């Protein structure tokens, strides 16, 4: 429940504030969003498995986002930023898909 | 059942395997997805035993993180349209190439179209100008040369002869006075007065451009009515001369609408040619 409330609050605030993304952050924001979605879906799966823990969620969320950003940052430093971005997105996408299918199985019982 | 016991006795290794399978099934979750068998059936974790403050803190953190996610998502949506920062160098170069090629094509089109527009414009302008001049010339020269009827503000002058004879020179003076006063179109007893109009004396009156006219003379003139009237009625002017010298009755009537319907046939010029 707090997660949903937080999501709604964030979306509403984003719609009304309409902030400009700083140039330095522009390549990383999409990655951060995807990583955060992955963390959110992982925690949703844990919730259905009845092993959800606030602390674990917070840590996994932050570590997901930070790892993804660092990876892309590293890629930028090495000159393969776009490729590594693609790699991160693909991996996170796969994880999101597997998480969603797990959740689906819990909801529909196979 | 009997069949199964028989089976057991016959193949104890198979039974063993069956038991193993059962144990494995026990370990696995009863959720029969097969894909995610490691569902733990542990009781709720001991994390929950934390104090209320810790729980509130973690809940708040969850809220904040999810809010950040939503915020970032919306921000990215609103900014992703104009973001080239994530494109690679190759993509940027390609984009630049495409754009400049497009610009070139458009420039070419623009040049072509503006060329066309200019030519059409100049042609149309020329034609229009020629037409306008022709029309203007037609109208003004038509009125000037007496080919077209005219109408407008002006005066109607009546000169009645009582005694004696009004000489043609007097009539000429009258016409000249009217011209000086700005008369644009004039008619003398049904004869259109143009540049080549002449007056000559005849037995019964005067001859105007070869057409003999008799008194009373009616002169219609289109122009500024008061100016024309002044030109005739001015003290010592042509009106008083006519009255005094020739005993004529001169009346000048201003009119808002003087119709001059008399026209003069255009002459064919024998020697004169227009300059090309």
């Amino acid at each position: 429940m707090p997660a949903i409330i937080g999501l709604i609050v964030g979306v509403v605030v984003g719609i009304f504030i309409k902030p400009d993304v700083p140039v330095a952050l522009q390549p990383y924001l999409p990655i951060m969003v995807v990583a955060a979605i992955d963390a959110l879906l992982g925690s949703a799966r844990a919730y259905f498995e009845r092993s959800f823990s606030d602390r674990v969620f917070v840590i996994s969320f932050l570590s997901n986002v930070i790892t993804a950003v660092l990876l892309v940052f590293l890629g930028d430093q090495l000159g393969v930023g776009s490729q590594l971005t693609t790699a991160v997105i693909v991996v996170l996408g796969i994880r999101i898909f597997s998480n969603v299918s797990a959740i689906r199985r819990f909801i529909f019982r196979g | 059942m009997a069949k199964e016991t028989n089976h057991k006795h016959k193949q104890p290794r198979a039974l063993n395997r069956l038991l193993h399978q059962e144990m494995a099934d026990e370990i696995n979750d009863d959720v029969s997805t097969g894909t995610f068998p490691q569902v733990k059936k542990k009781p709720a974790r001991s994390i929950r035993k934390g104090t209320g403050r810790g729980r509130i803190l973690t809940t708040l953190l969850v809220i904040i993180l999810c809010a950040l996610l939503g915020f970032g998502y919306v921000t990215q949506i609103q900014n992703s349209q104009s973001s080239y920062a994530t494109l690679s160098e190759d993509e940027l170069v390609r984009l630049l190439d495409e754009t400049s090629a497009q610009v070139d094509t458009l420039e070419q089109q623009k040049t072509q179209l503006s060329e066309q527009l200019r030519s059409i414009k100049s042609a149309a302008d020329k034609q229009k100008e020629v037409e306008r001049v022709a029309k203007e010339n037609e109208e003004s020269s038509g009125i000037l040369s007496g080919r077209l009827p005219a109408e407008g503000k002006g005066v109607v002058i009546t000169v009645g002869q009582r005694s004696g004879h009004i000489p043609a020179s007097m009539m000429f003076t009258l016409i000249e006075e009217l011209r000086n006063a700005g008369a644009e179109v004039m008619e003398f007893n049904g004869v259109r007065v143009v540049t080549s109009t002449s007056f000559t004396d005849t037995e019964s009156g005067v001859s105007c451009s070869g057409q003999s006219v008799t008194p009373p003379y009616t002169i219609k003139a289109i122009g500024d009515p008061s100016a024309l009237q002044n030109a005739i009625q001015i003290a010592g002017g042509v009106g008083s001369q006519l009255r005094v010298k020739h005993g004529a009755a001169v009346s000048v009537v201003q009119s808002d609408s003087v119709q001059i319907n008399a026209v003069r046939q255009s002459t064919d010029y024998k020697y004169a040619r227009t300059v090309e």
Side-chain angles (χ1 to χ4, degrees):
Chain A
M1 204 38 64
I4 294 165
I5 293 170
L7 268 180
I8 292 169
V9 167
V11 167
V12 169
V13 167
I15 286 172
F16 281 104
I17 288 185
K18 287 189 177 151
D20 281 330
V21 184
V23 175
L25 203 64
Q26 265 180 8
Y28 304 117
L29 188 58
I31 301 292
M32 288 164 91
V33 168
V34 174
I37 288 171
D38 172 49
L40 198 65
L41 285 170
S43 71
R45 178 182 168 186
Y47 177 80
F48 280 109
E49 289 173 356
R50 307 202 193 294
S51 64
F52 175 76
S53 134
D54 298 358
R55 212 174 291 168
V56 171
F57 168 66
V58 170
I59 290 167
S60 79
F61 189 102
L62 290 178
S63 70
N64 241 7
V65 170
I66 291 168
T67 308
V69 168
L70 279 180
L71 211 54
V72 175
F73 178 71
L74 187 71
D76 274 345
Q77 299 287 307
L78 297 177
V80 288
S82 64
Q83 285 94 319
L84 216 46
T85 304
T86 311
V88 169
I89 293 284
V90 166
V91 170
L92 289 176
I94 289 170
R95 282 179 53 134
I96 287 169
F97 267 110
S98 69
N99 280 340
V100 166
S101 63
I103 292 166
R104 187 201 69 215
R105 285 199 185 91
F106 278 107
I107 292 172
F108 296 111
R109 292 279 152 197
Chain B
M1 197 66 181
K3 204 177 177 186
E4 201 174 304
T5 46
N6 199 11
H7 197 77
K8 263 185 204 168
H9 281 296
K10 254 175 145 177
Q11 294 169 320
R13 279 174 71 192
L15 177 69
N16 224 3
R17 237 166 57 198
L18 212 79
L19 281 172
H20 259 287
Q21 185 62 50
E22 241 171 294
M23 274 165 71
D25 282 350
E26 287 264 325
I27 289 163
N28 288 343
D29 186 52
D30 60 344
V31 175
S32 52
T33 61
T35 318
F36 295 101
Q38 260 72 41
V39 178
K40 289 151 197 141
K41 286 188 108 182
K42 285 181 196 166
R45 281 213 186 153
S46 52
I47 294 165
R48 292 283 170 102
K49 77 187 174 193
T51 54
R53 236 171 70 188
R55 278 200 62 197
I56 289 170
L57 191 73
T58 49
T59 309
L60 270 179
L61 266 174
V62 169
I63 291 177
I64 289 167
L65 288 178
C66 286
L68 276 175
L69 169 58
F71 183 74
Y73 171 69
V74 172
T75 307
Q76 180 60 27
I77 284 176
Q78 282 169 352
N79 285 280
S80 60
Q81 284 92 345
S82 61
S83 171
Y84 294 110
T86 51
L87 294 181
S88 71
E89 209 174 306
D90 286 351
E91 283 170 318
L92 285 174
V93 167
R94 189 173 48 74
L95 210 71
L96 199 65
D97 264 3
E98 278 175 9
T99 312
S100 52
Q102 215 171 3
V103 166
D104 279 354
T105 325
L106 288 175
E107 281 288 345
Q108 236 169 4
Q109 269 183 18
K110 187 191 159 228
T111 324
Q112 208 177 335
L113 286 175
S114 55
E115 185 85 19
Q116 274 182 13
L117 179 69
R118 216 177 50 231
S119 69
I120 287 171
K121 230 180 191 170
S122 67
D125 271 4
K126 220 182 241 168
Q127 195 152 1
K128 223 173 172 180
E129 184 71 14
V130 166
E131 255 172 48
R132 193 178 61 81
V133 168
K135 200 161 185 186
E136 243 178 42
N137 284 352
E138 187 190 55
E139 236 173 64
S140 57
S141 68
I143 288 173
L144 198 68
S145 65
R147 276 186 286 112
L148 298 173
E151 184 226 3
K153 285 200 287 188
V155 291
V156 178
I157 302 157
T158 318
V159 179
Q161 194 176 11
R162 274 192 228 138
S163 61
H165 171 247
I166 299 172
S169 61
M170 215 53 229
M171 287 298 136
F172 178 65
T173 311
L174 178 64
I175 295 297
E176 281 302 304
E177 285 288 350
L178 287 172
R179 258 189 199 142
N180 287 344
E184 286 167 359
V185 185
M186 285 179 281
E187 184 190 301
F188 190 90
N189 266 28
V191 179
R192 182 75 169 257
V193 179
V194 291
T195 48
S196 58
T197 302
S198 58
F199 290 97
T200 45
D201 286 310
T202 57
E203 298 279 321
S204 57
V206 292
S207 161
C208 178
S209 295
Q211 201 173 332
S212 83
V213 288
T214 52
Y217 306 114
T218 308
I219 300 123
K220 293 179 185 169
I222 294 175
D224 183 10
S226 57
L228 294 175
Q229 187 172 23
N230 286 342
I232 305 301
Q233 305 281 48
I234 195 166
V238 67
S240 52
Q241 279 183 37
L242 279 167
R243 281 193 209 98
V244 173
K245 282 188 185 167
H246 307 288
V250 178
S251 77
V252 180
V253 180
Q254 293 190 19
S255 171
D256 272 343
S257 169
V258 176
Q259 293 262 356
I260 295 182
N261 296 320
V263 291
R264 188 174 169 278
Q265 293 308 310
S266 59
T267 51
D268 285 329
Y269 293 103
K270 199 172 172 185
Y271 300 105
R273 295 272 182 279
T274 50
V275 178
E276 291 291 335

